[in-house]
Amino acid sequence: MGTRWVAFCGGGILLASLMAPPPAQATPAGSPAAPTTRIDQRALDWSPCADLEPVQGENLECATLTVPMVRGTDADDPRDLDQTVRIALSRVPATGTAEHTILVNPGGPGSPGRQWASHTHLRMPAELREIYDVVAFDPRGMGASTPAITCDPGFFTPVRKDTVPADAAEEEALRADAEAYAQACGQNAGPILDHMRTEDTAHDLDAIRVALGLDRVDYLGYSYGSYLGTVYGSLYPDRVRALVLDSVVDPNRPWYESNLLQSRALDRAAGNFFDWVARHDATYGLGAEGDEVTEAYYDLRVELRRSPVANTIGPTELEGAVIVVAYSGRTWPDVAAALAAWINGGDAAPLLALHQDYGDDADSDPGYGGYLAVQCTDAEWPRDWASWHADARGVHQDAPFMGWHNIWYNAPCATWPGESAPWFQVGEDVDEHPAYDGDALIVHATDDGATAVEGSYALRERLPGSSLVIEDGGLTHGVALTGNTCVDEVVVAYLREGALPERGAGGADLTCDARAEPEPRTAQSTSPTPVDRLGPIGLEYPAAYEAPVE
């Protein structure tokens, strides 16, 4: 699914005085010398993409790579070793002589990633585009990679049950829907369902590196992609040249616990949005105080339970669309305008357009199934519903914006047919996987609603060679190369020269001021800029793309 991204903007001072280059990492013993150019990649048959369009005329190429579905050490049956997966790849070659290759993952899990070769190339400044090949991929089970996960496209047919159950009978009905979806995944997805863990994809990453003919590779991972990069660095520490981890998943919290924390972060981000709408009451007329706007939103939710808009948008569909406000401040004007148009004037068109742009439909099934296939097997989940119920009531009381919604989104994991394994925990303890100890750059915005900023501090402690850059007051889930000059200069210096902010005793190693909050717009003044979803927990919702300023 396509997206468009914001421009580089604003001025800024060069941060070289704040940075200290880390010690050079030696090429592993016995490995060939790192090539000075990356354009001779004959192991993959690159050709024009048949099913993928460039975003803005860049030279976009595609290829496929066949990898084992099951690694030899994980095979329960010798016949498992005959099964393979075809990974769909994309590449935008460097505009000059390619000195490096960067692999990009946009998050999810469940997100196809191939369009991100274009996105990342276009968001890079010219000095990086000249020397970097950008390679992206659809992870196993997703997008154009085969076999692909499919479960039940009809699951998202509106109007869906309200995620907030009014009584025990409604809760049981929602639970039955979640169990039925899990069963559909087991029946329709095939054997790959047991081989979708993050560790499996990390091994695929290294197979891509080998096919590219690279001794070491650069990696840029957003959201869930930060966890994938953390696992890859642990498994293949000598194969990493640079590691950029943005809007990170907390390495100390397996998915069940992580999602409970996420609901609270989403609620805080929604509060920021309601306060912003109140500051622009002259435009939106939903209340001059954040509490008034909050009340207007929840009144709308109650109204939609009684009478859905156009038999299409009930309370669950509303949540699925407005959740974007927790991922990017740049969506706030569109969401506020749509809410105001319906609440104040009964105009349903902007709200329906919002649902079409951001909400779930039958096309969401592959992404949702892929998300569950990873999350439900990446870590162990409670099997007794009493635990889910108690936690749901607690998180809803604290964070009603998405408390129950997030519970039901993950509820198929309670009866998931695939095999779960322990969380891949990096660290120094005997029961943990060795943490990557090379240099790494961690980036996070303080008001990110999808991944709480506390996770970035936890990851910094786990990765001893890392430096943490915080965007103070930042609203965006996904910060690197998205327009904050202070942050972008750090990223460019690290990728080009290996320079990182000097690591201190604790906390952030560099703090950048956030970009300005968005300006209000009305539904009448808003030009349509639909943004497609790139995946669940990573719900990447970028703003409109413009060419970088040279």
Side-chain angles (χ1 to χ4, degrees), residues 80-348:
D80 291 344
L81 301 177
D82 296 331
Q83 300 181 85
T84 59
V85 173
R86 287 173 61 84
I87 304 295
L89 305 165
S90 65
R91 178 180 71 169
V92 176
T95 58
T97 299
E99 299 176 10
H100 309 293
T101 297
I102 191 166
L103 290 177
V104 185
N105 181 273
S111 301
R114 287 187 303 157
Q115 192 69 72
W116 281 69
S118 290
H119 294 327
T120 305
H121 172 84
L122 290 168
R123 289 159 55 206
M124 284 178 163
E127 62 183 297
L128 290 187
R129 295 201 299 269
E130 184 178 7
I131 62 173
Y132 266 95
D133 285 348
V134 182
V135 175
F137 63 102
D138 290 346
R140 59 170 52 206
M142 303 168 196
S145 293
T146 56
I149 300 291
T150 183
C151 298
D152 177 14
F155 182 78
F156 293 103
T157 300
V159 172
R160 298 164 62 197
K161 297 179 180 69
D162 189 344
T163 59
V164 181
D167 51 35
E170 288 192 1
E171 182 176 342
E172 186 57 34
L174 287 159
R175 183 181 171 189
D177 286 349
E179 184 172 353
Y181 192 84
Q183 292 174 347
C185 293
Q187 294 166 358
N188 298 327
I192 195 173
L193 210 64
D194 284 327
H195 309 290
M196 288 288 295
R197 298 186 69 234
T198 298
E199 192 172 352
D200 295 314
T201 301
H203 292 309
D204 294 343
L205 271 180
D206 202 59
I208 295 171
R209 177 195 63 79
V210 172
L212 292 170
L214 303 175
D215 179 59
R216 294 190 299 165
V217 72
D218 293 19
Y219 176 82
L220 169 60
Y222 295 94
S223 191
Y224 163 77
S226 71
Y227 180 60
L228 174 60
T230 300
V231 173
Y232 180 76
S234 174
L235 294 172
Y236 298 98
D238 293 335
R239 299 306 182 186
V240 177
R241 176 187 172 272
L243 195 62
V244 182
L245 307 175
D246 191 316
S247 306
V248 304
V249 170
D250 192 327
N252 299 333
R253 298 179 184 273
W255 292 127
Y256 180 77
E257 184 180 353
S258 178
N259 279 291
L260 296 176
L261 180 66
Q262 184 194 45
S263 292
R264 291 175 168 84
L266 291 169
D267 201 83
R268 290 194 298 270
N272 290 336
F273 165 69
F274 295 143
D275 289 343
W276 176 86
V277 175
R279 289 196 295 274
H280 298 287
D281 185 50
T283 299
Y284 300 115
L286 295 177
E289 300 291 337
D291 289 346
E292 296 179 76
V293 180
T294 302
E295 183 178 0
Y297 171 77
Y298 286 110
D299 285 349
L300 171 62
R301 198 185 181 289
V302 171
E303 174 191 332
L304 294 180
R305 179 182 172 102
R306 293 194 301 261
S307 180
V309 171
N311 292 317
T312 300
I313 303 176
T316 297
E317 288 74 24
L318 177 70
E319 289 173 338
V322 302
I323 194 175
V324 297
V325 302
Y327 289 79
S328 173
R330 294 180 181 274
T331 66
W332 289 4
D334 290 339
V335 176
L339 294 175
W342 174 254
I343 293 172
N344 296 330
D347 181 2

Side-chain angles (χ1 to χ4, degrees), residues 52-66:
L52 193 67
E53 294 293 330
V55 172
Q56 203 176 72
E58 67 282 357
N59 182 16
L60 181 65
E61 304 171 323
C62 287
T64 58
L65 174 66
T66 300

Side-chain angles (χ1 to χ4, degrees), residues 303-519:
E303 174 191 332
L304 294 180
R305 179 182 172 102
R306 293 194 301 261
S307 180
V309 171
N311 292 317
T312 300
I313 303 176
T316 297
E317 288 74 24
L318 177 70
E319 289 173 338
V322 302
I323 194 175
V324 297
V325 302
Y327 289 79
S328 173
R330 294 180 181 274
T331 66
W332 289 4
D334 290 339
V335 176
L339 294 175
W342 174 254
I343 293 172
N344 296 330
D347 181 2
L351 198 59
L352 290 166
L354 195 74
H355 170 68
Q356 181 178 0
D357 292 342
Y358 300 124
D360 292 309
D361 56 24
D363 291 338
S364 303
D365 175 61
Y368 184 42
Y371 163 84
L372 292 170
V374 176
Q375 291 232 337
C376 296
T377 59
D378 243 358
E380 296 168 344
W381 293 71
R383 291 287 178 170
D384 64 303
W385 188 251
S387 297
W388 290 77
H389 173 81
D391 287 332
R393 288 175 62 88
V395 75
H396 177 71
Q397 182 175 354
D398 296 341
F401 182 64
M402 287 288 157
W404 269 111
H405 189 108
N406 215 1
I407 288 290
W408 296 120
Y409 203 87
N410 292 281
C413 292
T415 57
W416 191 251
E419 296 182 4
S420 299
W423 177 251
F424 192 103
Q425 179 72 66
V426 298
E428 299 179 353
D429 293 344
V430 292
D431 58 344
E432 296 177 338
H433 299 271
Y436 174 67
D437 61 1
D439 61 77
L441 178 62
I442 302 171
V443 183
H444 212 125
T446 57
D447 294 339
D448 177 1
T451 51
V453 70
E454 291 83 357
S456 65
Y457 295 100
L459 184 61
R460 180 188 180 277
E461 293 306 307
R462 294 277 176 176
L463 302 184
S466 64
S467 292
L468 171 61
V469 176
I470 290 292
E471 185 186 38
D472 188 28
L475 305 169
T476 300
H477 182 61
V479 183
L481 302 177
T482 60
N484 185 316
T485 304
C486 172
V487 174
D488 291 346
E489 286 179 345
V490 178
V491 175
V492 171
Y494 175 54
L495 292 178
R496 187 174 180 88
E497 304 160 10
L500 284 173
E502 186 173 359
R503 185 176 169 99
D509 301 300
L510 178 68
T511 299
C512 293
D513 291 336
R515 289 156 286 184
E517 66 179 26
E519 293 296 323

